[in-house]
Amino acid sequence: MQIYLPIAEVSVNAFLLLGLGGIVGILSGMFGVGGGFLMTPLLFFIGIPPAVAVATEANQIVASSFSGVLAHFKRRTVDLRMGLVLLIGGLVGAAVGVQVFAILREMGQVDLLVKLCYVVFLGIIGGLMFFESLRAIRRSKSPTAVPVRKKHGLVHALPLKMKFRTSGLYISVIPPILVGFFVGILAAIMGVGGGFIMVPAMIYILGMPTKVVIGTSLFQIIFVTAFTTLLHATTNYTVDMALAVLLLIGGVIGAQIGTRIGVKLKAEQLRILLSLMVIAVCAKLALDLLIEPSELFTLGSGGHS
């Protein structure tokens, strides 16, 4: 069943979009990521223009993250105080990112920048997570290994400290605000919730326990991506509601399934699975940038016959 997307100006199979939304929703529930890092490139692959994919995907992330965070609230694995501190930085970052996106769109460079950002970030994050997960699995198999949370000197030495009881932390608010700011910029430019960067940052930089990280990450993602969608819709006019609704329906259903699967897997197993998916998407995008496209005229800015 083909459906015409007015803003994207392409026809796509509606069931394909529902299926993609469902798959990404499952990942959202399992890993605590908005799923945009996977969905946005998938939309590129089926012919959605990058500018529309980025802005619309931010909309879909809101729904799948909201669905996922409800399940985490029931289990009390959301650190609301940490989520609000991350959110302050995230909203400022999103506002900056949308302005940068608008400038690049005027210059006609936004499609290339978005794809390059994906290749760089997915490659770095996927590689780091993969090796860290392997180390964690090896440690868990060693009978003498005792898991000790790392103490990061710099994070503990900074001023403006605050207690985060749910996470069992007493650290400066500066690192969470900076993490949130950086993720906010990525949300605007790359159409991602930023979970694929935020989850590792919360574990390795802030020292939060893994069980609290996923719910807290989703909580922050909801508000940052909702704000990003609003700015894209009013500034760049690139949000395709028909596309968003189909992705949203699939995403909400998938997130509930993913949350149930995530409970049954160990944290190390979840991280290594996520890292492999990130690396696979990165490799496909890099190939697409290197291989000459079959239709060269699609690279033009329009108006050619």
Side-chain angles (χ1 to χ4, degrees), residues 108-293:
Q109 297 299 315
V110 76
D111 290 8
L112 180 64
L113 173 88
V114 168
K115 288 183 178 178
L116 282 174
C117 278
Y118 267 100
V119 171
V120 172
F121 281 109
L122 295 183
I124 293 169
I125 298 299
L128 288 174
M129 282 183 73
F130 181 74
F131 290 114
E132 175 57 38
S133 302
L134 279 181
R135 279 199 295 272
I137 287 168
R138 282 200 197 104
R139 282 198 301 269
S140 67
K141 284 180 179 174
S142 170
T144 53
V146 180
V148 179
R149 196 180 305 165
K150 294 177 191 173
K151 292 285 179 188
H152 295 269
L154 182 62
V155 172
H156 290 79
L158 291 169
L160 302 172
K161 287 191 175 184
M162 185 184 281
K163 272 187 183 170
F164 299 98
R165 286 193 177 84
T166 312
S167 300
L169 293 176
Y170 180 58
I171 58 167
S172 166
V173 296
I174 296 169
I177 286 174
L178 290 176
V179 167
F181 177 78
F182 185 58
V183 167
I185 291 176
L186 290 183
I189 293 177
M190 294 171 66
V192 294
F196 71 96
I197 285 182
M198 184 167 310
V199 169
M202 288 161 83
I203 294 169
Y204 305 124
I205 298 174
L206 306 182
M208 288 175 67
T210 305
K211 64 171 186 174
V212 181
V213 164
I214 294 176
T216 310
S217 166
L218 288 173
F219 172 78
Q220 189 262 6
I221 284 168
I222 290 168
F223 295 100
V224 171
T225 47
F227 182 61
T228 302
T229 302
L230 187 68
L231 289 179
H232 272 305
T234 54
T235 308
N236 299 316
Y237 310 108
T238 47
V239 176
D240 192 311
M241 286 311 296
L243 174 61
V245 168
L246 286 168
L247 294 176
L248 201 144
I249 293 165
V252 169
I253 297 164
Q256 293 301 317
I257 300 166
T259 306
R260 290 192 177 92
I261 298 169
V263 176
K264 293 172 184 171
L265 292 174
K266 290 180 182 173
E268 295 85 10
Q269 292 171 326
L270 284 172
R271 288 211 295 276
I272 204 160
L273 276 173
L274 181 59
S275 69
L276 289 170
M277 283 177 197
V278 170
I279 291 166
V281 173
C282 172
K284 172 75 173 95
L285 272 175
L287 274 174
D288 284 357
L289 284 175
L290 293 169
I291 296 169
E292 186 176 299

